[in-house]
Amino acid sequence: MEQAVNGLVMNGTTSHLPLPLQNGDLVLHEPSPEELERELPVVTDGQVPLGELTSRLVQAMYAELTEFAETMPTMSDAARKRSLADWVVKFKRQVVKLYAIAKWSRDASVVQKAMNITAFLMDQNGQFEEAIMGLKYGKESLDPARLRNHDLLTSLDVLTTGTYRRLPSCIKELIIPPVPLTDEEVAKTLADIEDAMRYRLRTSEIVPWELSQYRIADGRVWFTAPKLFEASLCLQGAGKTDGWFFVNVTFLFKVGGDLTGMQDFPRTPTGVLKRNITDEADARLAFYLPPEAPPPPGVEAPPRPELPEGVVDAPLVRVFNFLQMMSLSYQLEILWYQAEHMRSLGWADYLKVEMTNNRQKMVVSYWLWKPLPGQQASSQARNRAPQLGGKLSISITRVKEKTGRQAMRSPKARVLAELQERSKLERARPSDEVEHLRFDVQWEPAQGTLGVNIGPEDAYIPPEQLAIDPNDLDFEGLLRRVIRRHTEGIMKYFQRDLMQNAHTRNVFSAPGEVTFVTNEGTPSLRVHLCADEVVIVTVDPRTGRLTLCDTGDLAAAGRGPRFAAISDRLNDSPQRLPEALIRLRLSTITDLAEQKVQYVGLQSFRERNFLPEEIAKLGPDARGKLYIQLANFTSHYLVLVITDNDYRYALINVKVQRDTMYNNLIMEDIGWLDIHRLHTGDMVVEPGHGPEPVVGQKRKRDDRDEVPVVPAAPAEQNPTSFRLETKVLRELYAYCCARVAYTKVEQQFKLRQIPYTHVNSTASIGALDAAHIQSSLARSIPALCVLSRDILSGAPAEEAAMPNIRVIPLNWWSNDQAKVVTCVKLKYVQQPIGKRASGTSVIRPSKRIVYDTREAIVSFLSDDVDKCVDEFLEEWARVSKMVVIAREVAQMSTKHLWTDVRLLSFDLQTVEFAYAADYTLSLTCTDQLTSTGGSYHLRFGRVEHDDEMEVDGEPLRTTHNPHEDVEPYMRNLLRHGPLTSTLHRLVSLLRETLPIVAELEEIRAAAARSGVVVDTFAKSAGWFRILYGDLRHALDFRLMAGARVVILDGSHSLFDDSADGHTLRRLSGPSKAFASRDREPTAALQPIPDFRALVQDAIKGAVARGVAGQFAPIDIGVICDVSAVRVVGRLLYERVLEKLAAQAGPHL
């Protein structure tokens, strides 16, 4: 164990006292590891709090989840799953990383301890190096020293006498200890000296009022100067001329704030500091006392100061003045150390600390700004603020004694001091007066800091806030109070500027837009940008730079970098803060609107290729724009015009200028939208107000329909300013699509000069009403109404429609293609029949037509808004003709007494009816708007019966309609003349030709079964031919007026020329010319041999079978009634076949 000398270990000092043991040995107290760790310096270089990483990750996850909540409802199921999977994979990696960091953070305390030990060792290493340098310096400085001469006389005394004859008594006393006093002697001595001090203080010693609080104990007197010090003095003796000597002092102050390094400033001085204070205090106490010992012989003592006549020595006043100065200087040094410590903690570039040579004044300059070398010229050009924010000076000043409220002493203290002087000094005066010292703190804010000249009222700070409190010495707190006051003045200036500036008054003048708040103890401005978006504007207390930050909520994740970039640019020109806030506000509003547009799934553009004069059409108060392109109408945009106080909404129609270099756009049409009326569900166009609107013209909107050009209401009147909800945006977009669809329809009416008007769309529109109400705005959008006589002028079957026709665009609320439905109520109600019309009151014969049988309303659906009128007219021409045909067919049984004519099926697109027995005809119209008037498609058939029998797997009765061969000729009959008359002619022709085609079909079928080669075909609508197998003979059947049929030789014509120049033969009787004149056979067909005889034979056979009717043989055939054509025709066919077969036999 090392030997302890005077309580010190030989290899160093220790603050831990040794503990005595029972056996008399000493054991040093070993400090605990916790105590050792507390003495280590704390180093946080490179360490990042785990909570900050966790907060950033949580903010990022919350922000993306919030975005998913808005966007996922519009996504497909596959897109939602894919987005969620990507999000899970992405943040799983981040969470795993954070988990690994959290695992590593378990060793953070160990790493922190190692770093602290490393710093401690580096500090010790520095001390060792300084000690080595000190030893080297001592060696170098002691080399020139020389030993003094040897003491020969003392050496001779010791050599001759064996002792020291000239040894000083002080050495003897040091070596030979005096006899110690007993306890009683010590106590008596202390009591005597205390009585002497008490008597002296009360009778003759001048005690300053500041030291009037004292106590006497332990042989000394304790003087207490409040908030300065507590000193202990003692008398050298009880004599009148014995002076005082200094014992100890304790300075009465407490250090606040950061206590790092405060161990170097003990309240009770020790070591060299105490020795210096003791020497100076003793010198001041014995200033007028004679020297204790005379000077050595030959040495002339310096002259001692002497008291003038009438002056009494006041040593306590001198020691008070000295210790007062020491206390204040000590406190000032502590404040200086705290300021320097702040510089070491990151304030070095922005804080400057200066101290005068006499160490009685400290000047601190804050918010220093040093421009970079490349910014010198630019900063001068911009007239930037001064290079410091202000100065804070703390000095020790002397204050003269005053009376009244500004007096240092109270009236009681002054009276007691005067009484003391009168009683103790009588007419003399003291040698020294009390010096009244105090701290003087001055704050000088620099004008033009951050481009702001704060007013005198903002540059004033109450003195009590600048006072130095000895019980709480905290320079950082004092500096922060000053900076807080300076920041408050700057923020108030910017607040006034934002609310009164001509450029920002319209935006920030409303109450609540710019408010003065405290953000983490720093005065700040809370600037409301839009909706729920706010920005905090403050000044960094350390750097003095303007800072823009968010409110710190989770939804603000990701905005920090933007605010940091704006703050960097803003500090180059702080006076442009209003302009920067306006730009930030505009950018925030645009970002929010663009985000809402993306949530809805629309396409938007911040800029379009418009010239400045085109953009000016949006109004002088337009600050920003967001163009939302209508998906179904690419040349139309919904424009969100950002004004000072709210959005304005415009619907524009653009056109590309192809002749310009950059294909500039021009606004052909601009319409302003009233979002308030639209959002509350009011109809944008309301009929019935005032006189009826003029047909063909848009009614004039009342004042509620137009959006005024003046700025919108302030924020306090319109709390929903710039609060664009996705539902409102969807409705607004849908309304624009509806408005464009209506405009396109109206343009088509105008091109055709068709008058129109607006009607309430809440009325029933029949079958499409359910689809129409899919949008909440559908019933607020008016419909278009035109008169049937205007739109159907010149169209077929105009008379079939009621006077009013309603036109309603549909599907504008969805992303699908917009449609237009035209509703027509029919005059002539013909109920649809057939398979499609069974079991329901609404039928849909085609994709574009829906028919409500109850209301007799036909709805025509058009997929192309630009061609909806043409498509309607085409469909109407088809439907109207079908309606007329169905009505006429239904009336034929009673009107023309055709009892077997009956309507089988009718669905507005096709009419199917039986024109005779079970023979049916299906009519369909096509190409109704062509120049030829349209055409018809005819499909012939037979009515199928469920009870038909089959023989050998085949039906007993054929389902073939022989009129199918006549379809190309029959279709043209309906295109010439009125539809009713042509339809009657068609049905009449079918009925009259039915026996012919039926018989020809049976002839063909019979010939096919017997193996005879015979061909039957139609030559025209009423002309049919049987061509025999030799292809040189034919038999023609031709329908005549009056339901008569002429059967003649195919080689002859009804219009053969005679020799005498007559062009036509009379068909009422036989002709001798035909009988007597031999004709040359034509190149195609040859006359049938003995045809006249064959005709006579056939007639006789028909009469023999009992066929009723008239028969008229002619030279080239026979004329008979339609009812007899089957028998006569069959007999004549067989006779000709036999004749030709007989004639051909001899040649074989």
Side-chain angles (χ1 to χ4, degrees):
M1 179 177 174
E2 296 178 349
Q3 183 180 1
V5 180
N6 294 330
L8 300 179
V9 181
M10 296 180 62
N11 61 348
T13 62
T14 177
S15 60
H16 306 284
L17 298 178
L19 299 178
L21 297 180
Q22 294 180 359
N23 56 4
D25 296 332
L26 295 178
V27 177
L28 293 179
H29 169 66
E30 292 293 337
S32 63
E34 291 77 9
E35 294 176 349
L36 294 177
E37 289 182 11
R38 283 196 297 268
E39 295 185 4
L40 293 176
V42 179
V43 180
T44 59
D45 187 19
Q47 300 285 72
V48 178
L50 179 62
E52 183 175 351
L53 296 179
T54 307
S55 176
R56 289 185 180 180
L57 180 59
V58 172
Q59 285 185 354
M61 295 173 67
Y62 177 82
E64 294 207 10
L65 286 176
T66 303
E67 184 176 353
F68 279 162
E70 293 285 346
T71 57
M72 278 193 173
T74 61
M75 295 182 181
S76 63
D77 184 64
R80 284 197 296 268
K81 293 179 180 178
R82 183 172 60 253
S83 299
L84 280 177
D86 294 342
W87 183 86
V88 169
V89 171
K90 173 183 176 183
F91 280 98
K92 181 180 178 182
R93 297 175 181 172
Q94 302 299 326
V95 172
V96 169
K97 293 179 181 178
L98 183 62
Y99 177 74
I101 294 175
K103 288 288 187 179
W104 296 341
S105 65
R106 296 178 179 177
D107 300 331
S109 59
V110 178
V111 175
Q112 181 68 46
K113 187 185 299 183
M115 295 176 63
N116 295 344
I117 294 174
T118 302
F120 174 78
L121 294 178
M122 292 178 65
D123 189 13
Q124 291 293 320
N125 185 45
Q127 294 180 6
F128 290 151
E129 291 181 354
E130 291 179 359
I132 293 173
M133 295 301 296
L135 292 176
K136 289 183 178 180
Y137 174 77
K139 175 180 177 298
E140 294 174 356
S141 61
L142 290 177
D143 283 342
R146 296 289 185 270
L147 295 175
R148 66 178 181 174
N149 297 329
H150 298 285
D151 191 358
L152 298 180
L153 296 177
T154 302
S155 300
L156 292 175
D157 289 340
V158 172
L159 181 61
T160 56
T161 63
T163 184
Y164 293 99
R165 298 179 62 183
R166 298 176 179 82
L167 188 65
S169 60
C170 63
I171 296 178
K172 293 181 180 180
E173 295 175 356
L174 180 62
I175 300 301
I176 302 173
V179 178
L181 298 175
T182 63
D183 295 340
E184 291 77 8
E185 293 176 341
V186 171
K188 184 177 182 306
T189 303
L190 292 178
D192 293 341
I193 197 64
E194 289 176 359
D195 293 338
M197 289 188 295
R198 186 177 296 109
Y199 175 78
R200 187 168 178 174
L201 289 175
R202 291 181 179 180
T203 58
S204 60
E205 195 70 49
I206 302 299
V207 181
W209 170 252
E210 288 75 10
L211 297 180
S212 60
Q213 300 180 13
Y214 62 87
R215 59 185 174 86
I216 300 175
D218 298 331
R220 66 184 72 177
V221 58
W222 302 83
F223 294 100
T224 301
K227 298 183 180 181
L228 291 175
F229 58 87
E230 183 183 39
S232 60
L233 303 180
C234 189
L235 280 177
Q236 296 177 356
K240 185 176 181 181
T241 59
D242 292 333
W244 297 86
F245 66 90
F246 178 82
V247 179
N248 200 358
V249 66
T250 299
F251 295 106
L252 304 180
F253 63 82
K254 293 182 180 179
V255 180
D258 189 3
L259 299 180
T260 303
M262 288 298 104
Q263 63 273 10
D264 296 334
F265 298 92
R267 296 178 59 192
T268 302
T270 59
V272 178
L273 178 59
K274 180 182 178 182
R275 187 163 55 250
N276 293 335
I277 295 176
T278 301
D279 294 343
E280 184 65 25
D282 289 341
R284 291 178 180 271
L285 289 172
F287 187 73
Y288 291 108
L289 294 178
E292 296 180 359
V299 178
E300 182 179 0
R304 299 285 297 177
E306 297 180 357
L307 289 172
E309 184 179 357
V311 177
V312 178
D313 188 16
L316 297 183
V317 174
R318 289 193 298 273
V319 77
F320 167 76
N321 292 338
F322 166 69
L323 293 178
Q324 177 185 223
M325 176 61 73
M326 284 298 301
S327 177
L328 295 180
S329 299
Y330 202 15
Q331 296 178 33
L332 185 62
E333 290 294 333
I334 293 175
L335 294 176
W336 174 82
Y337 178 82
Q338 291 178 338
E340 290 292 342
H341 183 64
M342 289 181 62
R343 284 173 48 85
S344 66
L345 295 179
W347 291 64
D349 295 335
Y350 312 102
L351 193 68
K352 181 180 180 182
V353 181
E354 298 175 307
M355 183 74 83
T356 58
N357 293 332
N358 58 3
R359 312 295 291 183
Q360 294 186 7
K361 183 177 182 180
M362 179 178 68
V363 179
V364 178
S365 303
Y366 59 91
W367 292 354
L368 298 180
W369 177 77
K370 296 180 180 179
L372 298 176
Q375 296 179 346
Q376 294 288 345
S378 60
S379 62
Q380 294 176 2
R382 297 174 185 173
N383 295 322
R384 197 192 184 281
Q387 296 185 3
L388 57 89
K391 292 182 178 181
L392 179 63
S393 60
I394 305 175
S395 60
I396 302 174
T397 58
R398 289 177 173 82
V399 182
K400 294 182 179 180
E401 178 62 26
K402 297 180 181 180
T403 59
R405 295 182 179 179
Q406 298 181 355
M408 298 292 293
R409 295 176 176 177
S410 64
K412 178 181 178 181
R414 290 198 301 271
V415 171
L416 292 177
E418 291 178 359
L419 292 177
Q420 177 185 219
E421 291 182 0
R422 292 178 182 179
S423 62
K424 295 180 180 180
L425 300 179
E426 295 180 354
R427 297 181 181 180
R429 59 184 179 88
S431 60
D432 296 274
E433 297 290 340
V434 175
E435 296 178 357
H436 299 285
L437 303 178
R438 69 175 184 181
F439 282 117
D440 183 22
V441 183
Q442 298 292 333
W443 172 47
E444 300 177 7
Q447 292 297 323
T449 302
L450 296 177
V452 174
N453 293 324
I454 61 176
E457 66 281 0
D458 295 326
Y460 171 77
I461 186 169
E464 57 271 13
Q465 295 187 13
L466 292 178
I468 303 297
D469 185 6
N471 294 323
D472 185 16
L473 292 178
D474 184 8
F475 176 78
E476 182 177 0
L478 175 63
L479 180 62
R480 287 188 179 275
R481 287 195 297 271
V482 170
I483 291 177
R484 187 181 302 113
R485 181 60 179 169
H486 197 173
T487 303
E488 182 178 348
I490 294 174
M491 292 296 103
K492 288 183 178 179
Y493 175 86
F494 282 128
Q495 183 182 22
R496 291 192 300 268
D497 190 23
L498 290 173
M499 299 179 67
Q500 299 176 5
N501 191 295
H503 299 288
T504 59
R505 181 171 51 200
N506 294 336
V507 178
F508 299 116
S509 61
E513 290 297 314
V514 182
T515 55
F516 190 82
V517 297
T518 301
N519 182 32
E520 297 180 357
T522 302
S524 308
L525 290 183
R526 182 183 183 274
V527 182
H528 176 248
L529 299 178
C530 63
D532 296 330
E533 299 296 324
V534 297
V535 62
I536 304 299
V537 182
T538 185
V539 178
D540 189 345
R542 182 174 63 94
T543 63
R545 294 171 61 86
L546 282 174
T547 304
L548 274 64
C549 59
D550 53 47
T551 55
D553 55 349
L554 290 176
R559 300 177 189 167
R562 174 190 292 182
F563 289 155
I566 296 176
S567 301
D568 291 340
R569 295 193 300 268
L570 183 61
N571 281 280
D572 292 336
S573 300
Q575 65 275 9
R576 301 181 66 179
L577 176 63
E579 180 183 350
L581 289 177
I582 289 293
R583 289 199 303 268
L584 176 61
R585 179 175 182 268
L586 177 60
S587 175
T588 303
I589 294 173
T590 306
D591 290 344
L592 289 178
E594 195 171 33
Q595 187 180 34
K596 295 293 183 181
V597 172
Q598 292 176 356
Y599 287 165
V600 178
L602 305 178
Q603 185 178 13
S604 62
F605 306 91
R606 294 197 178 189
E607 296 293 338
R608 291 274 79 186
N609 197 18
F610 290 112
L611 294 177
E613 54 269 19
E614 292 294 324
I615 298 179
K617 295 180 181 179
L618 296 177
D621 57 343
R623 302 293 180 259
K625 300 157 290 290
L626 187 65
Y627 303 91
I628 304 175
Q629 190 174 29
L630 305 187
N632 294 329
F633 310 100
T634 56
S635 61
H636 291 77
Y637 292 85
L638 167 60
V639 185
L640 272 62
V641 182
I642 303 173
T643 63
D644 289 337
N645 296 299
D646 207 345
Y647 291 112
R648 293 180 61 199
Y649 306 92
L651 177 62
I652 65 172
N653 180 20
V654 302
K655 180 181 179 181
V656 180
Q657 291 181 317
R658 301 295 183 184
D659 54 345
T660 58
M661 180 181 298
Y662 301 106
N663 290 335
N664 296 330
L665 300 177
I666 60 174
M667 300 182 188
E668 288 189 325
D669 186 22
I670 302 178
W672 295 100
L673 308 177
D674 190 344
I675 184 61
H676 302 292
R677 297 193 59 211
L678 184 65
H679 186 45
T680 54
D682 296 339
M683 293 177 58
V684 178
V685 180
E686 297 180 359
H689 296 282
E692 290 294 327
V694 180
V695 177
Q697 297 179 358
K698 295 183 180 179
R699 72 171 183 87
K700 293 184 178 180
R701 298 173 182 255
D702 47 74
D703 295 338
R704 295 174 298 171
D705 293 330
E706 297 295 336
V707 176
V709 180
V710 297
E716 72 275 11
Q717 300 179 6
N718 187 13
T720 59
S721 176
F722 294 107
R723 193 182 300 274
L724 183 62
E725 302 294 339
T726 54
K727 178 182 177 182
V728 177
L729 182 60
R730 287 191 183 98
E731 292 179 351
L732 190 62
Y733 177 82
Y735 175 78
C736 291
C737 294
R739 184 64 259 173
V740 174
Y742 274 83
T743 302
K744 289 182 176 293
V745 176
E746 292 170 359
Q747 289 176 352
Q748 296 178 61
F749 288 156
K750 292 178 181 179
L751 290 176
R752 291 169 175 79
Q753 297 182 352
I754 300 175
Y756 63 91
T757 186
H758 296 92
V759 296
N760 195 339
S761 64
T762 58
S764 175
I765 61 171
L768 295 180
D769 192 41
H772 186 222
I773 62 175
Q774 290 182 7
S775 173
S776 60
L777 292 177
R779 296 189 180 275
S780 301
I781 305 298
L784 298 175
C785 182
V786 296
L787 298 178
S788 59
R789 68 171 181 268
D790 297 325
I791 192 172
L792 300 179
S793 178
E798 172 188 341
E799 70 282 356
M802 295 295 282
N804 292 328
I805 297 178
R806 189 184 303 126
V807 181
I808 305 174
L810 294 178
N811 213 28
W812 38 263
W813 53 79
S814 67
N815 294 329
D816 299 333
Q817 185 177 7
K819 304 178 184 298
V820 177
V821 61
T822 305
C823 302
V824 182
K825 187 174 180 62
L826 301 179
K827 281 185 180 179
Y828 313 111
V829 180
Q830 174 61 51
Q831 294 297 333
I833 58 176
K835 295 181 180 180
R836 292 185 177 179
S838 62
T840 179
S841 61
V842 178
I843 63 172
R844 189 160 190 170
S846 68
K847 181 180 178 181
R848 296 163 58 177
I849 297 177
V850 179
Y851 182 40
D852 187 351
T853 59
R854 292 182 180 178
E855 302 292 337
I857 295 178
V858 184
S859 300
F860 299 89
L861 190 63
S862 175
D863 293 335
D864 191 350
V865 180
D866 295 325
K867 298 179 181 179
C868 64
V869 177
D870 290 339
E871 293 182 358
F872 162 69
L873 293 176
E874 180 181 357
E875 293 293 337
W876 169 253
R878 181 182 297 112
V879 170
S880 61
K881 289 182 179 180
M882 291 297 100
V883 172
V884 172
I885 292 173
R887 184 191 63 190
E888 291 297 326
V889 170
Q891 296 176 356
M892 282 183 180
S893 60
T894 58
K895 187 176 181 180
H896 300 287
L897 301 178
W898 293 340
T899 58
D900 54 349
V901 176
R902 63 189 186 279
L903 187 62
L904 301 178
S905 176
F906 169 58
D907 59 2
L908 300 182
Q909 290 287 292
T910 303
V911 176
E912 184 179 6
F913 62 93
Y915 55 87
D918 60 348
Y919 292 90
T920 64
L921 172 61
S922 177
L923 283 174
T924 304
C925 301
T926 58
D927 302 332
Q928 294 304 304
L929 296 183
T930 58
S931 59
T932 59
S935 60
Y936 295 87
H937 175 69
L938 282 65
R939 185 168 57 84
F940 293 91
R942 300 282 295 274
V943 178
E944 297 181 0
H945 299 278
D946 297 335
D947 56 349
E948 290 183 353
M949 298 180 61
E950 295 183 358
V951 178
D952 296 334
E954 294 184 358
L956 186 62
R957 186 179 60 86
T958 179
T959 59
H960 175 68
N961 191 333
H963 269 131
E964 291 181 357
D965 298 335
V966 198
E967 191 272 338
Y969 307 107
M970 293 293 184
R971 70 174 63 167
N972 293 327
L973 292 178
L974 296 176
R975 298 175 58 184
H976 303 286
L979 182 59
T980 55
S981 60
T982 56
L983 179 64
H984 178 268
R985 185 165 62 250
L986 172 64
V987 176
S988 176
L989 183 60
L990 290 174
R991 292 174 61 84
E992 291 176 357
T993 58
L994 180 59
I996 300 175
V997 297
E999 187 62 29
L1000 292 181
E1001 179 64 20
E1002 290 184 2
I1003 291 174
R1004 183 192 61 78
R1009 287 193 298 268
S1010 60
V1012 178
V1013 179
V1014 174
D1015 188 15
T1016 63
F1017 55 90
K1019 295 279 290 181
S1020 66
W1023 183 1
F1024 304 91
R1025 172 171 290 179
I1026 298 176
L1027 184 63
Y1028 291 92
D1030 58 0
L1031 303 180
R1032 291 181 296 176
H1033 299 88
L1035 194 64
D1036 285 349
F1037 294 76
R1038 303 191 67 166
L1039 181 65
M1040 300 177 60
R1044 297 175 299 164
V1045 178
V1046 58
I1047 305 174
L1048 67 157
D1049 186 356
S1051 62
H1052 296 278
S1053 173
L1054 294 177
F1055 305 99
D1056 286 340
D1057 294 337
S1058 62
D1060 56 359
H1062 292 88
T1063 59
L1064 294 175
R1065 297 288 184 180
R1066 293 182 59 84
L1067 301 178
S1068 60
S1071 177
K1072 295 182 179 179
F1074 275 97
S1076 60
R1077 181 168 56 91
D1078 295 330
R1079 294 186 48 176
E1080 294 295 333
T1082 62
L1085 296 176
Q1086 296 180 2
I1088 299 174
D1090 300 330
F1091 183 67
R1092 184 173 182 181
L1094 297 176
V1095 169
Q1096 293 295 337
D1097 189 16
I1099 293 175
K1100 292 177 182 181
V1103 173
R1105 293 185 180 184
V1107 176
Q1110 297 180 356
F1111 305 96
I1114 57 176
D1115 293 343
I1116 58 176
V1118 62
I1119 299 175
C1120 64
D1121 293 334
V1122 172
S1123 58
V1125 70
R1126 299 196 66 172
V1127 178
V1128 175
R1130 172 62 71 89
L1131 293 175
L1132 184 57
Y1133 159 73
E1134 292 175 351
R1135 301 296 188 272
V1136 174
L1137 182 62
E1138 294 173 356
K1139 182 66 176 178
L1140 293 177
Q1143 188 178 9
H1147 298 283
L1148 297 176

